Each structure stands twice: as C-alpha cells, then as structure tokens.
Amino acid sequence: PVFKRVPDDKKDVEKNLQNQARRCQRLILWLDCDREGENIAFEVIEVCRGVNPSIGISRAQFSSLIPSDIFRACETLRQPNEDFSIAVDTRQEIDLRLGAIFTRWQTQYLQKRFEGLDDIISYGPCQFPTMGFVVERYLKRKHFISEPFWKI
C-alpha cells in the first residue's frame, strides 16, 4: 500500500490546520474543483478530524473568483466527494507502480543494447505528454518565419 504523510516542510501547515480545527465547529473547503482538489480536501479533512472528530465539513464549488460565483458557491455548499479522492489515490498508486516497474525494465533493456549507458532511464506517465509539449514548442520555434510588423 501507499502511505500518505505530511512532509517535514509542511508540518507548520498541518499544525495550523489542527489549531484552527480545535476551535471550529465547521470547515468549508475552498480548493480547486477537480479530482486533485477533492483529494487535497480529504487530506485536510484527515488532519482536522484528527483533532476534532465532530467538525462539520462542506465543500465550496466554484470556477472563478468573480463575486457572483463566490456567492453562488456559498449558497450551494456540498459534501466532499470521496469517490473522486479515491480515484486520485488509485491513479497515483498506478502511476507509482507502473513508473517503478517500467523504469526498471526500460533501464535494463536499454543498458544491454547501448554500451556506456549507466544512468537510470526514468519512465513516468506524465513525462510523455510533457515531452510532447516541449517538442511541439521546439518545432514551432524552429519553423517560425519572422514577419515585419509595426507598432502604432
């Protein structure tokens, strides 16, 4: 299993959440409205419920910071979606396991075929799309044709 923990450089954030949760009756979570945000919400819930098991918890859902969206989010609070959080945990574990397995296989495979290749050849599911963005940008710059322009 994969275990989550608060990194040492975030212990002050954890302590602050605990201090605030001890004094509160209700916690309203304002995080990104995607699965990753939902996952972070449950990390915050775990920390806060660790010191105040009876704290009420709601989730604000918003897509912009304009006043009407913020007021709407306040009026339509909902419960955090644990299924979304579990989906993120599952994806993270699959990424970790797949990355470790494929990195090992790929490194051994390529080291047998290319003399002097001693480095680890890392694989990660996010590396391929990111590399695609880098290559796409490189090709745009390489094939850029400068045109004259005027500024008035």
Side-chain angles (χ1 to χ4, degrees):
V2 175
F3 297 99
K4 291 186 176 186
R5 67 174 185 78
V6 177
D8 290 340
D9 66 331
K10 300 291 185 243
K11 291 289 187 185
D12 56 334
V13 175
E14 177 186 40
K15 189 171 185 163
N16 185 38
L17 285 169
Q18 290 169 335
N19 289 337
Q20 298 303 319
R22 282 186 187 96
R23 302 181 308 181
C24 295
Q25 296 174 355
R26 186 168 179 84
L27 170 65
I28 301 175
L29 297 159
W30 292 78
L31 299 157
D32 288 350
C33 289
D34 58 9
R35 288 180 180 203
E36 296 292 335
E38 211 71 17
N39 192 257
I40 294 167
F42 276 90
E43 291 176 351
V44 172
I45 290 168
E46 185 177 338
V47 168
C48 293
R49 284 227 166 117
V51 296
N52 183 352
S54 63
I55 192 170
I57 297 175
S58 298
R59 181 94 157 86
Q61 192 164 6
F62 60 101
S63 57
S64 74
L65 297 176
I66 60 173
S68 62
D69 281 354
I70 292 173
F71 287 123
R72 186 178 313 106
C74 287
E75 294 167 357
T76 59
L77 296 174
R78 63 169 178 80
Q79 291 300 303
N81 187 327
E82 191 170 15
D83 289 340
F84 286 175
S85 180
I86 291 169
V88 170
D89 286 338
T90 302
R91 184 203 39 83
Q92 288 175 346
E93 185 169 350
I94 290 169
D95 288 353
L96 177 64
R97 290 176 186 271
L98 181 63
I101 292 166
F102 198 74
T103 293
R104 182 175 181 190
W105 176 82
Q106 176 176 261
T107 298
Q108 291 173 346
Y109 179 84
L110 293 172
Q111 284 176 344
K112 288 176 189 173
R113 280 151 186 76
F114 298 99
E115 191 174 315
L117 184 61
D118 298 324
D119 294 332
I120 292 175
I121 313 300
S122 174
Y123 167 84
C126 296
Q127 290 171 318
F128 283 100
T130 303
M131 182 56 78
F133 296 140
V134 171
V135 170
E136 181 182 358
R137 181 71 177 144
Y138 167 78
L139 291 173
K140 281 183 180 179
R141 291 183 63 143
K142 182 178 177 183
H143 299 296
F144 178 75
I145 299 170
S146 180
E147 297 177 2
F149 69 95
W150 294 267
K151 190 174 182 181
I152 298 176

